[in-house]
Amino acid sequence: MKLEIRLYGDPILRTKGKKIEKADEHIRQLAEDMIETMHAANGVGLAAQQIGEALLLTVIDVSQAEDRPSSLKLDGREVKLEEAMPMILMNPEAELGKELVEGTEGCLSFPEISAEIDRPDSVKVRAETLEGIPIQIEATGLLARALQHEIDHLNGVLFIDRMSSATRAGLSGRLKRLQKEAEADRARARRAPAGQRVL
Ligand code: ZN
């Protein structure tokens, strides 16, 4: 099932995710729906906060982004992207590389906004699979960027926080507008619950 993506201005995006002790039926369904939602929106990653759940859960799929290469090692072994994607990660923690690299970044919670952002070019991530198995990921390229972006979401951090102040200042008008629209959407949703006819 496709889920509604929460937009900038929604307080859930600033809420830290809760650790998942064990993936129950709700978490499994959520992960499956998040993958469907991400693919439908042509995204390369989606964090639980973006669909309204403050949990340490994210999905990633960079296998279709042929113009922006990635490398991936899983538990120390080189793995082809197609074999590992889409990835579902619970309780991920990142250890960042030291070299910064600039790259274009967008976010499904900020429609039509993208910017150049400096981030470490590599990342090591410890996480758990849905089965609760600990895994270690070493990534470079777009995957390294996507992992950092999504793990930021899980901690309530947004990509605008990673932009240079000049870049953010340049976007301030659009960000304010987005925030206002999201607030109006939520007000409408409060008045008319989904599926209910309003007279
Ligand atoms: Zn995002």
Side-chain angles (χ1 to χ4, degrees), residues 37 40 42 52 56 69 93 102 109 118 147 174 192 196:
T37 306
N42 289 321
L56 295 182
E93 279 175 28
E102 191 183 70
S109 295
D118 285 344
L147 283 163
R174 292 168 73 184
Q196 197 170 306

Side-chain angles (χ1 to χ4, degrees), residues 14-168:
R14 287 301 190 183
T15 309
K16 280 192 179 198
K18 246 178 50 192
K19 185 167 192 256
I20 300 169
E21 296 302 335
K22 192 175 184 303
D24 56 14
E25 190 44 46
H26 170 67
I27 300 286
R28 288 171 183 282
Q29 187 63 50
L30 206 59
E32 193 179 303
D33 291 344
M34 283 169 67
I35 289 172
E36 190 181 334
T37 306
M38 167 181 69
H39 282 153
N42 289 321
V44 296
L46 192 67
Q49 278 86 343
Q50 292 181 281
I51 47 89
E53 297 262 1
L55 292 168
L56 295 182
L57 177 69
T58 181
V59 298
I60 288 184
D61 188 349
V62 296
S63 61
Q64 300 307 307
E66 281 129 5
D67 51 329
R68 295 182 72 180
S70 301
S71 78
L72 166 64
K73 275 189 191 170
L74 215 49
D75 296 327
R77 195 173 59 90
E78 197 93 37
V79 176
K80 281 204 184 111
L81 288 182
E82 312 84 79
E83 287 170 18
M85 304 288 151
M87 293 183 118
I88 300 169
L89 302 176
M90 289 198 319
N91 309 320
E93 279 175 28
E95 191 185 309
L96 303 177
K98 289 188 176 62
E99 293 280 311
L100 289 181
V101 62
E102 191 183 70
T104 307
E105 226 169 281
C107 178
L108 293 176
S109 295
F110 292 76
E112 288 161 36
I113 289 180
S114 69
E116 294 299 310
I117 298 179
D118 285 344
R119 287 194 191 261
D121 64 344
S122 66
V123 67
K124 210 183 261 189
V125 173
R126 289 178 194 283
E128 286 164 53
T129 66
L130 274 186
E131 289 70 38
I133 299 165
I135 51 168
Q136 187 182 289
I137 296 162
E138 288 162 81
T140 66
L142 180 62
L143 179 56
R145 183 170 291 274
L147 283 163
Q148 292 173 60
H149 180 113
E150 300 314 328
I151 293 172
D152 271 354
H153 269 302
L154 300 183
N155 290 305
V157 175
L158 299 173
F159 80 149
I160 50 172
D161 307 335
R162 303 290 187 195
M163 290 175 189
S164 69
S165 43
T167 303
R168 203 167 42 240

